[in-house]
C-alpha cells in the first residue's frame, strides 16, 4: 500500500513525465522573434513564415530520382540529398527555410514522402540599412550579433516543435500524422534610431570613407538634449538578410 501511494501520488507527475520522454520526442522549430522598430515604429526586422522541407524516407519510393530532381531546385549536391533521404529515421530535414519559388517547384513534383512545415524566417526590409547595428540570427532564430544578440532573451520567444511518437524500440511513429505546436512570439523592441537619419548618416559616411580611401568608418548621431542615439553607422555596409 505504501509503495502504491508513492508511485501513484508522490511520484505520479515525475513518472508521467518520464513516460512522455520515452514514448515521444520533439523536433524543435524556429521561434517567432518579435519585430524591431525605429523610433517612429518603422519595421527594421520582422519574422515571416516560410516553408521548411522534410522527408519521411520510409514513404519514399524512387529515392535516386527524387534526389536528382531536388538537387537542381535546392542547389544541394545530389549525393548529399540522397544520403539524407536514405536515412533509416522516419523523419529528416532536407532543407530548412526555403524560398517560395523553391517550395512551389517541389510541390509541383508531387514526390511521395516529402512535406513542408512552416517556420519563422528573419527578414530585414531595408537590407543594408543599420545592418551592422541590427546584427543577424542563426537557422534556429538565435541572435548571433548586434541588437539581435544583445536582446535575444526578450526578442526570441518560445520555440515551437514537432511531436513524434516512438515505439518500444525507439522508432518514430506517425499514427496521426505530424503534430505541430506553434512557437510563441517574442517581445517587440523599439529603438531610438530614426530610419531617415540613419540613411543619411550611412550615405555620408560611405562617401567620406571612399574619399579618404579608408578601410572602414564609424559615425554616430546623438540628440544632445536627451542622449538618445539617432543613428549608428558603420562602413562598409552589411546586409543581414544575405
Amino acid at each position: 500500500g505504501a509503495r502504491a501511494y508513492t508511485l501513484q501520488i508522490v511520484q505520479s507527475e515525475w513518472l508521467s513525465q518520464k513516460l512522455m520522454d520515452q514514448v515521444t520526442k520533439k523536433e524543435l522549430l524556429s521561434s517567432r522573434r518579435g519585430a524591431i522598430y525605429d523610433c517612429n515604429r518603422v519595421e527594421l526586422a520582422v519574422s515571416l513564415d516560410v516553408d521548411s522541407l522534410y522527408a519521411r524516407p520510409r514513404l519514399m519510393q524512387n529515392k535516386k530520382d527524387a534526389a536528382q530532381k531536388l538537387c537542381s531546385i535546392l542547389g544541394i549536391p545530389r549525393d548529399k540529398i540522397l544520403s539524407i533521404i536514405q536515412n533509416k529515421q522516419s523523419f529528416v530535414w532536407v532543407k530548412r527555410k526555403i524560398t517560395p519559388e523553391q517550395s512551389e517547384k517541389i510541390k509541383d513534383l508531387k514526390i511521395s514522402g516529402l512535406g513542408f512545415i512552416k517556420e519563422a524566417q528573419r527578414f530585414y526590409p531595408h537590407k543594408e540599412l543599420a545592418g551592422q547595428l541590427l546584427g543577424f540570427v542563426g537557422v534556429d532564430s538565435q541572435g548571433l550579433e548586434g541588437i539581435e544578440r544583445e536582446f535575444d532573451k526578450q526578442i526570441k520567444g518560445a520555440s515551437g516543435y514537432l511531436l513524434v511518437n516512438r515505439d518500444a524500440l525507439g522508432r518514430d511513429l506517425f499514427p496521426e500524422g505530424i503534430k505541430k505546436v506553434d512557437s510563441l512570439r517574442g517581445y517587440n523592441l523599439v529603438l531610438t534610431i530614426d530610419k531617415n537619419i540613419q540613411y543619411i548618416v550611412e550615405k555620408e559616411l560611405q562617401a567620406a570613407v571612399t574619399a579618404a580611401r579608408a578601410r572602414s568608418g564609424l559615425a554616430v548621431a546623438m540628440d544632445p538634449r536627451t542622449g538618445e542615439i539617432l543613428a549608428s553607422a558603420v562602413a562598409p555596409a552589411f546586409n543581414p538578410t544575405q
Side-chain angles (χ1 to χ4, degrees):
R3 185 57 178 162
Y5 176 82
T6 300
L7 294 175
Q8 296 181 23
I9 305 299
V10 179
Q11 296 182 333
S12 174
E13 185 175 346
W14 178 77
L15 290 172
S16 295
Q17 186 59 51
K18 281 290 184 181
L19 173 63
M20 291 300 297
D21 292 341
Q22 289 179 358
V23 300
T24 63
K25 75 171 184 178
K26 295 179 180 178
E27 289 282 348
L28 290 180
L29 303 174
S30 298
S31 61
R32 183 176 296 278
R33 298 176 71 84
I36 300 178
Y37 300 98
D38 82 341
C39 62
N40 298 309
R41 301 302 192 273
V42 176
E43 292 179 335
L44 300 178
V46 294
S47 292
L48 302 175
D49 283 341
V50 297
D51 284 329
S52 285
L53 177 65
Y54 70 86
R56 295 172 62 180
R58 296 176 186 175
L59 301 181
M60 301 185 72
Q61 299 176 352
N62 193 335
K63 296 180 180 179
K64 292 183 178 180
D65 181 63
Q68 184 63 48
K69 292 178 179 178
L70 291 174
C71 69
S72 59
I73 298 175
L74 298 176
I76 301 176
R78 173 184 174 275
D79 291 342
K80 183 175 181 179
I81 294 179
L82 188 58
S83 66
I84 293 174
I85 61 180
Q86 285 182 334
N87 195 298
K88 294 182 180 180
Q89 297 183 25
S90 57
F91 177 94
V92 291
W93 289 114
V94 179
K95 186 175 183 180
R96 297 175 67 180
K97 301 179 181 179
I98 62 179
T99 67
E101 293 78 13
Q102 290 174 326
S103 179
E104 287 301 320
K105 290 180 180 178
I106 294 173
K107 289 176 181 177
D108 290 340
L109 296 176
K110 298 180 180 178
I111 300 175
S112 61
L114 295 181
F116 300 88
I117 293 290
K118 292 290 185 182
E119 285 197 276
Q121 171 73 42
R122 202 63 161 167
F123 289 97
Y124 302 87
H126 305 286
K127 299 181 180 180
E128 293 89 355
L129 185 72
Q132 298 279 12
L133 175 66
L134 295 172
F136 58 94
V137 301
V139 68
D140 292 314
S141 292
Q142 72 277 28
L144 298 179
E145 291 292 343
I147 293 291
E148 295 278 24
R149 178 178 179 181
E150 184 67 21
F151 293 92
D152 187 56
K153 290 183 180 179
Q154 293 82 5
I155 300 174
K156 187 174 182 180
S159 298
Y161 56 88
L162 303 179
L163 194 60
V164 180
N165 294 323
R166 297 190 293 187
D167 64 13
L169 299 178
R171 296 174 300 191
D172 296 342
L173 301 173
F174 299 90
E176 301 176 3
I178 295 177
K179 298 179 181 178
K180 179 184 177 183
V181 177
D182 291 327
S183 59
L184 298 179
R185 186 184 181 90
Y187 291 106
N188 295 330
L189 181 65
V190 180
L191 306 179
T192 60
I193 298 296
D194 185 302
K195 180 182 75 70
N196 295 325
I197 298 177
Q198 179 74 25
Y199 172 78
I200 294 171
V201 171
E202 287 187 7
K203 183 178 179 181
E204 293 301 322
L205 175 62
Q206 186 57 58
V209 168
T210 301
R213 297 182 180 180
R215 291 184 179 179
S216 61
L218 171 66
V220 176
M222 179 186 295
D223 185 337
R225 297 167 298 179
T226 63
E228 293 180 343
I229 303 299
L230 303 178
S232 178
V234 177
F238 165 71
N239 187 347
T241 299
Q242 295 179 344

